[in-house]
Amino acid sequence: MNGMPTISKQTHTTRRALVLDNNSYFLDAVEKWAEINDIVVSATSHSDDFFYRLAMNDDIDIVFVSYNPIWTRTLHLLDKLQRFYPDIRTVVVVDSPHTPSVILMRSFGVNIIITKQDILSCLQKTITLDSSSLYLSPSIAGQVDDEHIDAKHRLTHEGVMLTQMERMVLAELSGEKTIQLIARERGCSAKTVSQHKQNALCKMGFRKLKEVFSINSKTNMAGLIYLPATLLFCQSYLDILKFSF
């Protein structure tokens, strides 16, 4: 199994959470949250290992998946989660309240979205939600309030849901595959792939693909403010935790 150790499938009564992220500040915050709520947390930065752990543990009922527009494999992972693990609460954690990214997450069936700038209460809230509950953290909700009414509609329960083919095309395009290559690999015409792309963009309210995967001025490609933002996120958690005992 690609060099992975062979282990028996685990079944426990303890609640478990699985995190897909490699940022130590965020992981520290999640571990503090889990300790308060008697939840066992495991973390990985590799999608293959992520699904391996899901398959080996029946008692994982909540997963945290980090998303950034420059990470190309996350959309494939989210699509797989929705298809094969629909009952597990999926919490997507975005770096900042970037509305196109949030709309994209909603179109992939994700209902719980928070940012790394949010406070402990947002993580606490996820415990009370089921997989079908809609929850946008305060920083995201505040950003959406400044957006056009169409954007608000796409973030509600009545918001758009892409088809499996539309999700696949967007996921492949996010990995910088061309329409021609996707068509060849899928055994269909480039026109068909292009139509799926246009249908997805239309449903989400965008005209061009770069609008979906663009990064706003608060988050640059080099991630230069990623660390400060995450430090603030972690510090706000730790400040609250001081008063939790």
Side-chain angles (χ1 to χ4, degrees):
M1 195 177 292
N2 296 327
M4 291 183 180
T6 301
I7 62 175
S8 301
K9 191 168 186 176
Q10 301 295 313
T11 303
H12 305 277
T13 56
T14 304
R15 291 184 299 174
R16 291 178 178 269
L18 180 59
V19 181
L20 182 67
D21 198 340
N22 60 2
N23 182 273
S24 60
Y25 297 101
F26 176 65
L27 294 179
D28 285 346
V30 172
E31 287 173 357
K32 293 292 185 182
W33 160 80
E35 182 180 345
I36 292 174
N37 294 282
D38 194 26
I39 296 174
V40 177
V41 173
S42 60
T44 180
S45 59
H46 301 287
S47 58
D48 290 342
D49 186 39
F50 177 86
F51 282 109
Y52 180 71
R53 297 187 190 205
L54 272 181
M56 291 297 105
N57 292 275
D58 286 332
D59 52 356
I60 293 175
D61 69 345
I62 184 168
V63 296
F64 295 89
V65 178
S66 288
Y67 173 75
N68 185 294
I70 64 174
W71 298 347
T72 60
R73 298 192 64 184
T74 310
L75 295 183
H76 282 296
L77 181 142
L78 291 174
D79 181 44
K80 191 173 180 179
L81 272 174
Q82 295 301 318
R83 287 189 288 126
F84 298 110
Y85 298 94
D87 295 329
I88 293 181
R89 286 173 291 172
T90 298
V91 181
V92 165
V93 187
V94 294
D95 287 345
S96 62
H98 181 225
T99 301
S101 294
V102 178
I103 292 176
L104 180 63
M105 296 301 98
R106 290 287 292 123
S107 70
F108 269 66
V110 177
N111 295 322
I112 308 173
I113 310 172
I114 65 176
T115 80
K116 291 184 177 178
Q117 301 167 18
D118 289 314
I119 59 174
L120 182 62
S121 59
C122 294
L123 278 181
Q124 289 293 96
K125 181 70 174 179
T126 63
I127 299 178
T128 67
L129 302 171
D130 58 40
S131 59
S132 62
S133 298
L134 175 63
Y135 178 70
L136 304 178
S137 68
S139 61
I140 293 174
Q143 177 73 19
V144 172
D145 283 341
D146 297 330
E147 301 290 341
H148 191 275
I149 188 65
D150 286 347
K152 295 181 183 180
H153 172 74
R154 289 177 172 84
L155 294 175
T156 65
H157 276 302
E158 294 75 32
V160 65
M161 179 70 173
L162 301 183
T163 66
Q164 183 177 338
M165 190 64 177
E166 289 164 353
R167 295 196 303 269
M168 181 278 296
V169 168
L170 284 187
E172 296 282 20
L173 290 172
S174 74
E176 299 185 349
K177 285 188 178 182
T178 65
I179 287 178
Q180 290 73 21
L181 178 58
I182 297 171
R184 187 161 60 249
E185 291 179 345
R186 296 289 169 172
C188 59
S189 69
K191 183 177 180 180
T192 297
V193 174
S194 181
Q195 188 61 57
H196 283 302
K197 183 194 79 170
Q198 289 306 124
N199 289 345
L201 292 176
C202 182
K203 287 180 180 180
M204 292 188 294
F206 301 115
R207 291 187 296 177
K208 297 181 179 180
L209 196 63
K210 66 180 181 180
E211 295 178 68
V212 183
F213 300 119
S214 66
I215 302 177
N216 64 8
S217 59
K218 296 180 181 179
T219 310
N220 58 40
M221 292 293 288
L224 295 178
I225 73 159
Y226 177 82
L227 180 59
T230 311
L231 281 169
L232 289 173
F233 164 87
C234 186
Q235 186 59 52
S236 64
Y237 271 47
L238 296 179
D239 288 343
I240 293 174
L241 287 169
K242 292 177 183 177
F243 303 99
S244 300
F245 299 94

